[in-house]
């Protein structure tokens, strides 16, 4: 186990350091308080840096943290101190780009929260219990964004009311923008 | 009802703070989850509710057992819907809820159905969920499908099965090991990630079989791995194989080195880096092997990607510790990194440069660092300070510029830890570089003029008291010290008074002036300050004339307190005010003994048996009290030392016995701690028959049998020996446990009246030289060493023969001597070729002993040692050498 690249956590925080979606794969932070303390530490340590064009990296408390920001979204991937930094960066890039694809270019906190289901699925597709599952953003986004019906589903399951509801929501959304 | 997120309409005016989850509340969401039970399922709405539940969990909200169960059962209903998106959310929430074993059954059939579905996404996810929540029993049912999935043509399904296999291997290894063939097939997969997961699983299945791992590595390194991640794994496995085989084949080329070197030309950066790092970490790497790795790392240093620069500089920083020469080529690139935006990179670059720098580059480097220091955080600054300290010790000629640098940054803003690091560094430089002493002391003096940290002020004052009087012009420090008496808080004032007294004691010409100053302190508002002033005025002689200070006064002022503070504290608490004044010699000097129970506890606890008696009195006072309470031993005098317990029986035997050796000046008492582990027996009249024929200087004088030893209730029996007074006699003793056994009826617990005499052979016991040595630490070894002087020094060299590594040799010698390692020198950095270890102790007869051990290891693991002993008695110094020579 110890030889396999290991991801300790993946964090998506907003511009104030608050959680949008986080996933921990290690027992290093057993309680929610410990997790929040870690997030706060990571956030304060990195908030002033410019990690918008290239992923940045820092080390503290014997963890390596790679991170990248866009708008008010802060992406982090944490590994142990002996982890290959470039592998961590690859995971970060996969997560970052997949979220970009899923949010269709409007990458900000509002859009992320409105599509939180996609973000959570995205996390689920990247790492499974600390083991890297996939790092290619296109593959990750493709796996998440399959909102179609099961091929074998009978048409009757999709009722007129549902179809109308979907249409109405799309309309309100476009009006709000 | 179809309104997706409740608050949407109310809050959209406040665009900036808008969140679909604003005002979300657990109770309400749990209510909403009732839609899962609707006959006509609305997949969109159900997905949204699941998202809300996941959001709550993600924010750290917890569900009670009942709530979680309720949600879980409701969620299971959703398997009816065939909406792909909803099903994905169902999978995720089932994993998050981590249902208990009895709940899992509800979903197994649904998940097993999905596992055999035609839809790849269903298969992949159902496998992941099932393996996450299942237990061993179910696993045998689904094993067949999992094996199929491993070789599934869809890579997502195969990866899901393989990754699940990696997790399951921790809990059900015997099942997963049966999948070897399929996993091996998957290693050949064309899909990159499948190959990676298959390789990881295959290696874990075989990891305990060295030969199999060897075979795996040698076949794969010939080149069939496509995935960069799999290639990184392979590099790690290869380094492991190299590490393990290195001890077998000393000659010739390193196996697999060519593979590692070849990976340096791989197209993926992660592989290049993994290989470069692996090469730098090879055991005893040669500079020829290092060169290609350093070259690629050097290229990374000028990459536009911060992650690459960081990875490279961090690795080079480590290399610089052991092979500074190899890194010198990178110095130019490294220097440009000092201005790197990323301060972690800049700090690593600086500390690397400080390690590789040569004497001529120091000044230039310091100039660059000065501008750099102002804009990094304290934690980075501390790292830099430490690097500068070691640089200065390496190039003592450069002390002037380095000391100036330290004093400059000492004046700038900074937190306690940072300031402490600087002060510590200056103190070390003053100690080790005589030329730097005067300027360093003045820098410290200036610092305390304006120091906000009481701790640092008192430390510096104490240090000034020791070093200041030895300088060419001690009087110039007086002003700084006396200023403290006016301007500081009570703690610092008290410290300043002590320091003044030390100047008075050491520098006779200053004495009258010091007296004037100390008298003024008699009017201080603080008790401690006044008390100290009074004490010192009296000890130095009240007239204040220019006379020489007596030796005992100096000893009182400068001698280190060779008593552990904990012990002193305890003795003072126990002292009851009476006519008899407190005697500091009555304080035990032994460093706390490891409690018996602590050492034996693991593994023995569940049975509660078989182990030696758990924790009879464990500290020395407790032992002493125990022994004094036995009339036979009451006149043996003061207990010098009690050893740690030595086991005389194997674990899990009928009777467990260990022995504690109590050393007195003219006697030795063995305390046998016995435990009877047979419920059907009661032992009576338990004694130990000791044969001392191999211990000529010892004569048995008394023994104290143990009246009765019932099951699992430890007891002690004692045997006392007389030995020549003050002589560290050694010898071997063989022991026989003798007792009367009585059968016990386990149901009633009553013993029969008649017993049988029986004997039980115990292991031998030895009294060794280390038993006459007390572990007593000194706070400052160097000072203690110097004040002891070379009069009774004995130096000699020894060959210790082949050893595993240095650490083992160092430990062996420490144990042999039974002395206290000082300043953490018992820790040997891995891979080091030489080591210095400092020990201190008190030998029987109250003789202080200091030992300096220098170890060196050469090629085929032969360890040589130089042993220097200083003590108050040359006979004792010789004894230490005898111990080592005979050990």
């Amino acid at each position: 186990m110890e030889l396999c690249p290991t991801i300790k956590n993946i964090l998506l925080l907003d511009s104030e350091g608050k959680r949008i979606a986080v996933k921990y794969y290690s027992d290093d932070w057993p309680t929610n308080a410990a997790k929040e303390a870690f997030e706060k530490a990571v956030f304060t340590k990195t908030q002033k840096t410019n990690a918008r064009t290239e992923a940045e990296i820092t080390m503290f408390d014997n963890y390596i943290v790679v991170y990248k920001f866009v708008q008010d979204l802060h992406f982090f991937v944490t590994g142990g101190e002996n982890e290959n930094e470039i592998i961590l960066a690859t995971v970060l890039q996969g997560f970052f780009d997949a979220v970009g694809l899923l949010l269709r270019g409007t990458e900000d906190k509002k859009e992320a929260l409105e599509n939180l289901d996609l973000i959570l699925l995205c996390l689920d597709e990247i790492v499974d219990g600390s083991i890297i599952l996939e790092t290619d953003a296109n593959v990750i986004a493709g796996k998440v964004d399959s909102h179609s019906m099961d091929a074998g589903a009978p048409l009757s399951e999709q009722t007129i009311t549902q179809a109308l509801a979907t249409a109405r929501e799309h309309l309100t959304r476009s009006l709000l923008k | 009802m179809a309104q997706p997120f409740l608050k949407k309409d109310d809050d959209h005016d406040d665009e900036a703070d808008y969140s679909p989850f604003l005002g979300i509340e657990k109770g309400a969401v749990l209510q909403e989850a009732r839609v899962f039970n609707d006959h006509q399922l609305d997949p969109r709405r159900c997905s949204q509710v699941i998202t809300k539940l996941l959001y709550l969990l993600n924010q750290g909200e917890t569900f009670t057992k009942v709530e979680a169960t309720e949600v879980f059962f409701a969620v299971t209903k959703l398997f009816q819907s065939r909406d792909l998106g909803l099903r994905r959310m169902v999978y995720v929430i089932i994993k998050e809820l981590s249902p208990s074993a009895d709940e899992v059954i509800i979903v197994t059939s649904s998940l097993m159905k999905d596992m055999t579905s035609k839809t790849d996404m269903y298969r992949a996810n159902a496998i992941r969920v099932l393996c996450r929540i299942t237990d061993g029993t179910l696993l045998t049912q689904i094993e067949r499908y999992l094996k199929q999935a491993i070789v599934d043509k869809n890579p997502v399904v195969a990866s899901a099965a393989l990754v699940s296999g990696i997790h399951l291997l921790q809990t059900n290894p015997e099942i997963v090991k049966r999948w070897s063939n399929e996993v091996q097939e998957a290693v050949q997969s064309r899909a990159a990630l499948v190959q990676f997961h298959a390789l990881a699983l295959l290696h874990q299945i075989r990891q305990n079989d060295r030969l199999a791992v060897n075979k795996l590595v040698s076949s794969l390194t010939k080149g069939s791995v496509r995935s960069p991640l799999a290639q990184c794994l392979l590099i790690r496995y290869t380094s492991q194989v190299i590490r393990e085989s290195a001890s077998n084949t000393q000659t010739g080329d390193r196996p697999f080195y060519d593979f590692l070197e070849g990976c340096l030309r791989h197209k993926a950066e992660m592989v290049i880096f993994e290989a470069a790092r692996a090469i730098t970490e090879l055991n005893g790497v040669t500079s020829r092997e290092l060169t290609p790795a350093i070259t690629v790392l050097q290229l990374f240093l000028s990459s536009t990607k911060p992650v690459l620069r960081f990875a490279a500089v961090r690795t080079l920083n480590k290399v610089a510790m052991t092979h500074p020469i190899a890194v010198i080529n990178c110095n130019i690139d490294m220097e440009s990194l000092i201005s790197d935006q990323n301060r972690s990179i800049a700090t690593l670059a600086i500390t690397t440069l400080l390690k590789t720098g040569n004497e001529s580059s120091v000044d230039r480097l310091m100039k660059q660092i000065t501008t750099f220091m102002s804009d990094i955080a304290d934690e980075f600054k501390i790292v830099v300070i430490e690097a500068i300290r070691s640089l200065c010790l390496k190039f003592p000629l450069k002390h002037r510029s380095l000391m100036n640098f330290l004093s400059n940054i000492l004046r700038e803003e900074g937190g306690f830890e940072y300031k402490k690091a600087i002060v510590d560094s200056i103190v070390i430089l003053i100690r080790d570089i005589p030329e730097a002493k005067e300027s360093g002391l003045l820098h410290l003096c200036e610092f305390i003029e304006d120091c906000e940290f009481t701790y640092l002020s008192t430390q510096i004052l104490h240090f000034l008291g020791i070093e200041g009087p030895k300088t060419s012009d001690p009087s110039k420090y007086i002003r700084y010290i006396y200023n403290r008496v006016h301007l500081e808080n009570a703690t610092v004032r008290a410290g300043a008074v002590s320091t003044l007294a030390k100047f008075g004691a050491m520098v006779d010409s200053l004495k009258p002036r010091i007296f004037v100053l100390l008298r003024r302190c008699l009017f201080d508002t603080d008790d401690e300050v006044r008390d100290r002033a009074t004490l010192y005025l009296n000890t130095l002689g009240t007239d204040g004339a220019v006379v020489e200070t007596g030796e005992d006064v100096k000893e009182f002022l400068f001698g280190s307190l060779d008593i552990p503070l904990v012990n002193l504290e305890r003795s003072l608490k126990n002292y009851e005010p009476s006519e008899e004044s407190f005697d500091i010699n009555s304080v035990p000097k032994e460093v706390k003994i490891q409690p018996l129970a602590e050492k034996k506890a693991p593994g023995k606890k569940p049975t509660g048996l078989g182990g030696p008696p758990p924790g009879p009195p464990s500290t020395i006072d407790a032992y002493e009290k125990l022994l004094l309470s036995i009339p036979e031993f009451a006149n043996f005098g003061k207990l010098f030392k009690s050893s740690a317990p030595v086991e005389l029986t194997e674990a899990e035997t009928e009777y467990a016995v260990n022995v504690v050796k109590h050393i007195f000046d003219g006697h030795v008492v063995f305390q046998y701690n016995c435990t009877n582990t047979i419920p059907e027996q009661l032992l009576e009249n338990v004694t130990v028959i000791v044969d001392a024929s191999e211990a000529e200087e010892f004569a048995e004088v008394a023994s104290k049998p143990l009246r009765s030893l019932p099951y699992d209730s430890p007891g002690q029996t004692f045997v006392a020996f007389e030995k020549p007074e003050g002589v560290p006699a050694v010898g071997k003793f063989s022991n026989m446990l003798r007792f009367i056994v009585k059968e016990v009826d386990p149901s009633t617990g009553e013993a029969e009246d008649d017993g049988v005499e029986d004997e039980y052979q115990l292991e031998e016991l030895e009294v060794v030289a280390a038993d006459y040595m007390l572990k007593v630490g000194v706070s400052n070894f160097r000072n203690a060493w110097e004040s002891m002087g070379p009069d009774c020094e004995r130096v000699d060299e020894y060959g210790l023969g082949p050893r595993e590594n240095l650490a083992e040799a160092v430990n062996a010698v420490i144990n042999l001597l039974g002395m206290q390692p000082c300043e953490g020198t018992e820790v040997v950095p891995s891979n080091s070729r030489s080591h210095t270890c400092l020990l201190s102790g008190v030998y029987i007869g109250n003789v202080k002993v200091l030992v300096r051990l220098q170890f060196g290891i050469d090629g085929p693991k032969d360890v040589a040692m130089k042993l220097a002993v200083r003590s108050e008695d040359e006979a004792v110094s010789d004894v230490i050498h005898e111990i080592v020579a005979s050990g």
Side-chain angles (χ1 to χ4, degrees), chain A residues 1-6 16 18-23 25 32 36 39 45 49-50 54-61 64 66-67 72 80-92 109-110 112-118 120-136 139-140 143-144 146-154 156-159 161-162 165-166 168-170 172-173 176-177, chain B residues 2-5 8-9 12 15-21 40-44 47-48 50-51 54-55 57-61 80-89 91-92 95-96 119 121-122 125 128 132 156 159-160 163-164 166-167 170 193 196-197 200 203-204 207 229 232-233 236-237 240 243 269-271 273-274 277 281 300 304-312 314-315 318 340-342 344-345 379-380:
Chain A
M1 197 69 188
E2 71 274 19
L3 286 180
C4 195
T6 305
E16 287 159 14
K18 293 211 188 73
R19 264 182 210 171
I20 294 174
V22 299
K23 189 80 189 139
Y25 308 102
N32 191 48
E36 278 174 349
E39 285 156 34
K45 217 174 142 55
T49 53
N50 178 16
E54 289 287 355
E56 278 289 346
I57 182 163
T58 187
M59 189 176 173
F60 77 101
D61 283 353
I64 304 246
V66 288
Y67 55 99
D72 49 1
E81 63 171 333
N82 291 320
E83 200 42 83
N84 180 328
E85 293 89 339
I86 301 166
I87 294 182
L88 296 177
T90 313
V91 174
L92 175 73
K109 177 185 173 187
K110 177 169 169 269
L113 282 172
E114 279 182 356
N115 294 288
L116 188 68
D117 50 345
L118 300 185
L120 292 172
L121 289 178
C122 188
L123 285 171
D124 187 56
E125 290 294 353
I126 294 173
V127 171
D128 183 300
S130 86
I131 299 170
I132 300 167
L133 210 51
E134 180 56 78
T135 56
D136 183 326
V139 179
I140 297 167
K143 284 204 271 183
V144 170
S146 50
H147 257 296
S148 61
M149 270 287 165
D150 180 351
S156 62
E157 248 188 42
Q158 204 172 16
T159 60
T161 2
Q162 266 175 34
T166 320
R168 190 167 56 225
E169 203 196 15
H170 272 291
T172 6
R173 258 197 212 184
L176 278 174
K177 269 172 197 166
Chain B
Q3 199 59 265
F5 294 123
K8 195 164 184 170
D9 289 331
H12 79 266
E15 200 67 38
D17 268 356
Y18 168 75
S19 154
F21 301 105
Q40 190 68 273
L41 283 174
D42 176 350
R44 277 194 68 78
S47 284
Q48 281 156 0
I50 295 184
T51 309
L54 288 171
Y55 174 82
L57 287 170
N58 217 292
Q59 294 297 319
E61 184 79 69
Q80 289 168 30
S81 167
R82 307 183 77 171
D83 182 281
L84 281 175
L86 176 58
R87 188 67 60 87
R88 291 286 282 109
M89 297 307 284
Y91 293 137
V92 172
K95 281 194 274 189
E96 288 296 324
T119 315
M121 190 278 286
Y122 280 178
N125 279 289
R128 284 174 61 197
R132 171 72 60 88
V156 182
S159 278
V163 171
S164 301
I166 298 176
H167 295 312
Q170 316 298 324
L193 270 298
F196 164 60
H197 296 133
H203 179 263
Q204 276 183 40
Q207 61 183 347
L229 276 172
C232 287
L233 270 187
R236 292 184 188 184
Y237 301 155
Q240 194 189 28
R243 247 196 319 278
E269 280 156 348
M270 69 166 79
V271 176
F273 174 66
E274 188 73 48
R277 195 171 67 160
E281 286 169 1
F300 280 7
T304 54
K305 295 182 189 163
V307 173
L308 286 193
R309 296 198 299 273
F310 177 89
R314 190 159 78 109
T315 310
K318 274 189 207 141
D340 200 296
Q341 284 281 316
N342 184 319
S344 303
I345 296 177
E379 48 172 315
F380 292 137

Side-chain angles (χ1 to χ4, degrees), chain B residues 138-178:
Chain B
L138 184 66
L139 199 55
T140 45
Q141 286 179 53
I142 59 170
E143 190 185 353
R144 187 162 58 90
Y145 303 113
L146 288 175
K147 277 170 142 180
Q148 266 169 30
I150 288 174
V151 288
D152 197 294
K153 63 180 187 309
N154 182 303
V156 182
V157 177
S159 278
L162 288 163
V163 171
S164 301
I166 298 176
H167 295 312
L168 288 171
L169 193 66
Q170 316 298 324
T171 49
N172 295 286
E174 65 296 335
I175 295 180
V176 180
K177 278 180 183 163
R178 295 203 289 256

Side-chain angles (χ1 to χ4, degrees), chain B residues 471-717:
Chain B
T471 55
S472 56
D473 182 12
S475 64
K476 67 182 169 195
Y477 302 103
I478 302 293
R479 179 173 61 86
Y480 294 102
I481 301 165
Y482 190 61
N483 278 346
R484 298 302 99 217
V485 180
H486 285 301
L487 302 167
E488 293 282 358
N489 61 41
T491 315
V492 179
R493 292 205 302 276
V497 167
S498 300
T499 307
L500 284 174
K502 285 177 186 162
F503 275 80
M506 291 299 282
V507 189
D508 298 329
S509 58
L510 281 178
K511 211 176 236 179
R513 289 166 60 193
I514 296 284
F515 262 81
V516 176
L517 297 177
L518 283 179
R519 283 213 187 87
R520 286 190 200 156
C521 300
L522 291 175
F523 304 101
D524 197 280
T525 51
D526 184 76
D527 292 351
E528 171 78 19
V529 179
R530 288 196 308 274
D531 284 355
R532 283 199 192 193
T534 315
L535 172 69
Y536 293 130
L537 281 170
N538 283 321
T539 39
L540 295 176
T542 38
D543 53 352
V546 183
V547 289
E548 205 174 313
T549 315
E551 267 311 308
D552 50 337
V553 174
K554 281 188 186 166
E555 172 64 24
F556 170 69
L557 280 173
F558 294 99
S560 62
L561 185 66
D562 54 358
I563 299 167
L565 288 178
V566 204
N567 297 4
L568 179 60
E569 186 188 350
R570 198 180 319 120
S571 300
L572 281 171
K573 274 186 185 153
N574 291 341
Y575 172 70
E576 280 165 23
S578 65
E579 285 298 294
E580 201 176 325
S581 59
F582 180 77
D583 181 9
I584 197 151
N585 291 322
S586 69
V587 182
K589 292 183 179 172
E590 180 78 61
V591 180
K592 196 182 84 185
I593 306 174
Q594 189 179 18
L596 285 171
E598 199 175 277
K599 230 167 88 185
K600 319 292 177 203
K604 296 270 172 65
K605 272 216 172 111
T607 58
L609 284 183
S618 52
T619 63
I620 188 151
D621 338 333
Y623 278 138
E624 190 160 20
K625 228 175 255 171
L626 177 75
L627 292 171
L628 278 176
S629 68
I630 300 166
E632 289 92 326
F633 311 143
N635 58 352
F636 286 178
K638 191 172 150 43
L639 177 60
F640 175 73
K641 176 180 179 173
S642 298
S643 75
V646 182
E647 297 298 332
L648 296 182
T649 51
E650 305 274 326
E652 316 294 333
T653 47
E654 299 100 302
Y655 314 110
V657 179
N658 66 36
V659 65
V660 178
K661 297 173 271 184
H662 300 290
I663 310 289
F664 292 85
D665 205 29
H667 296 86
V668 175
V669 175
F670 298 142
Q671 171 187 339
Y672 297 90
N673 300 310
C674 314
T675 311
N676 169 13
T677 69
I678 306 176
E680 296 83 18
Q681 286 189 358
L682 168 71
L683 307 189
E684 285 191 346
N685 213 2
V686 183
T687 52
V688 177
I689 308 300
V690 185
D691 175 7
S693 54
E694 283 181 76
E696 287 161 6
E697 289 175 280
F698 294 84
E700 185 169 333
V701 288
S703 76
K704 187 171 182 306
L706 176 61
R707 289 265 301 283
S708 138
L709 183 64
Y711 161 66
D712 197 25
S713 133
Q716 292 102 34
T717 162

Side-chain angles (χ1 to χ4, degrees), chain B residues 417-432:
Chain B
E417 290 298 330
Y418 172 48
K419 289 288 165 86
K420 182 168 179 296
I422 305 174
V423 170
D424 286 349
S425 297
I426 295 182
V427 166
I428 288 173
L429 297 184
I430 291 174
R431 271 190 196 148
D432 288 10

